[in-house]
Amino acid sequence: MTTKAIVVEGGAMRGVFASGVLDAFLEQDYKPFDFAIGVSAGASNLIGYLTDYPHRSINVITKLATSKRFFDPARFVKGGDLIDVKWLFEESNRQYPVDEVKLFDGIPFFATTTNVDTGKADYYRITRHNFHHAMEATTALPIAYKHTPCFSGGCYTDGGVADSIPVREAYRLGARDITVVLSHPLEYAKSRVKTPWLMRKLFAEHPKMAEAMLQRADNYNESLAFIRNPPADAVIRVIAPPSEFHVQRLSRRQSVLIEGYEMGLIAGRNHLLDD
């Protein structure tokens, strides 16, 4: 029997598209997957999907992630966090508590993190014991979030640095039928960093992190190449935003976010019709 997986990309507020896709799946009780892997906002979106909690993600995005408590440029200028991912995670769970039995004892759920010492991706199976740490780590955008989460003998930052689209990890774990939900239109390609010297300066204390940031575009585009030309024994199904998707990494306008969510709903429903 073919092992099936779902992979959900991050992208901060661009993750609103995936929240729509996953809500469309919940409408039809579509859960054929043997495991799930999420990155950053993609991992956060999967929480609502895996616990059968429709609209959780869109509420978190439009009601909490747009608040000044989460995103505060003035706080950042004074030396604080630009985005407070720990607050967002804790407040999300307070306002929208999830069924922990479904989350921890259901479909295996992995979150992608970037190890600051190695610059490589570490993939954590989410459990009751590491839930808070791993979710903080996968969403801990470097520079924007000042606190580096440390647990299980390592220190981590946003999983998107080392592996934005962990489709190759899903394949390595045995999946041969992989559904990938992207945060950019399929024609997108990531550009290389234009100021490598600045990146090395910003991450002077963690040179492997600096290298990971510099290699990020290549890794991202290699994942896209894997998606477009999968191994002969694998099928990869892609759900990507349309070219008119206007949500940016830090978009906060409600109308733009809702439009992006509705694009995700449509794309998810169309995917099910074609499946």
Side-chain angles (χ1 to χ4, degrees):
M1 192 169 173
T2 304
T3 299
K4 296 184 177 183
I6 184 168
V7 174
V8 185
E9 184 183 357
M13 301 304 249
R14 281 195 294 265
V16 75
F17 175 79
S19 73
V21 172
L22 295 174
D23 274 356
F25 285 4
L26 286 178
E27 287 175 349
Q28 300 297 321
D29 193 27
Y30 181 73
K31 278 192 170 179
F33 306 109
D34 297 295
F35 65 90
I37 306 181
V39 185
S40 193
S44 299
N45 277 326
L46 278 168
I47 293 172
Y49 174 65
L50 296 174
T51 59
D52 298 313
Y53 195 152
H55 310 127
R56 181 184 192 272
S57 294
I58 188 61
N59 280 325
V60 168
I61 292 167
T62 57
K63 296 180 181 179
L64 299 180
T66 55
S67 73
K68 192 173 182 180
R69 182 64 184 81
F70 173 63
F71 176 79
D72 188 349
R75 180 177 62 205
F76 186 61
V77 169
K78 295 173 185 174
D81 298 314
L82 177 62
I83 56 169
D84 189 341
V85 301
K86 187 173 184 179
W87 173 84
L88 182 65
F89 174 76
E90 292 175 347
E91 190 65 14
S92 299
N93 289 331
R94 188 182 72 79
Q95 292 197 29
Y96 309 103
V98 297
D99 184 330
E100 294 191 353
V101 172
K102 287 182 178 178
L103 185 61
F104 303 127
D105 301 334
I107 297 169
F109 169 31
F110 297 85
T112 307
T113 66
T114 300
N115 187 305
V116 299
D117 293 320
T118 67
K120 303 293 185 184
D122 287 345
Y123 308 90
Y124 278 96
R125 166 83 186 266
I126 298 297
T127 67
R128 287 174 176 80
H129 304 294
N130 68 16
F131 182 43
H132 289 71
H133 289 304
M135 292 305 299
E136 181 186 6
T138 190
T139 55
L141 280 173
I143 302 172
Y145 185 61
K146 303 287 188 182
H147 310 84
T148 303
C150 297
F151 68 104
S152 294
C155 295
Y156 301 93
T157 191
D158 191 295
V161 174
D163 193 1
S164 294
I165 316 170
V167 61
R168 289 172 288 179
E169 177 65 10
Y171 182 83
R172 191 188 71 78
L173 289 173
R176 294 298 180 266
D177 186 333
I178 307 170
T179 298
V180 181
V181 184
L182 297 176
S183 299
H184 286 284
L186 195 52
E187 63 270 20
Y188 174 79
K190 188 173 283 295
S191 302
R192 288 184 173 182
V193 173
K194 293 184 173 64
T195 52
W197 63 270
L198 179 60
M199 203 58 67
R200 291 193 173 96
K201 184 175 181 180
L202 288 170
F203 294 99
E205 294 180 15
H206 300 286
K208 296 287 189 181
M209 264 293 294
E211 291 309 309
M213 293 292 286
L214 295 176
Q215 293 168 12
R216 186 177 183 184
D218 289 342
N219 283 335
Y220 189 96
N221 295 332
E222 285 167 11
S223 290
L224 288 177
F226 185 91
I227 289 168
R228 293 182 182 118
N229 298 285
D233 64 343
V235 172
I236 298 181
R237 309 167 196 274
V238 183
I239 308 174
S243 55
E244 62 270 23
F245 182 68
H246 297 306
V247 182
Q248 301 298 316
R249 177 172 287 273
L250 295 176
S251 291
R252 298 171 73 206
R253 188 177 297 172
Q254 296 283 327
S255 59
V256 172
L257 295 172
I258 294 298
E259 180 187 55
Y261 170 75
E262 289 173 348
M263 287 179 178
L265 277 176
I266 292 168
R269 289 166 183 161
N270 287 341
H271 177 79
L272 295 183
L273 288 173
D274 295 337
D275 193 45

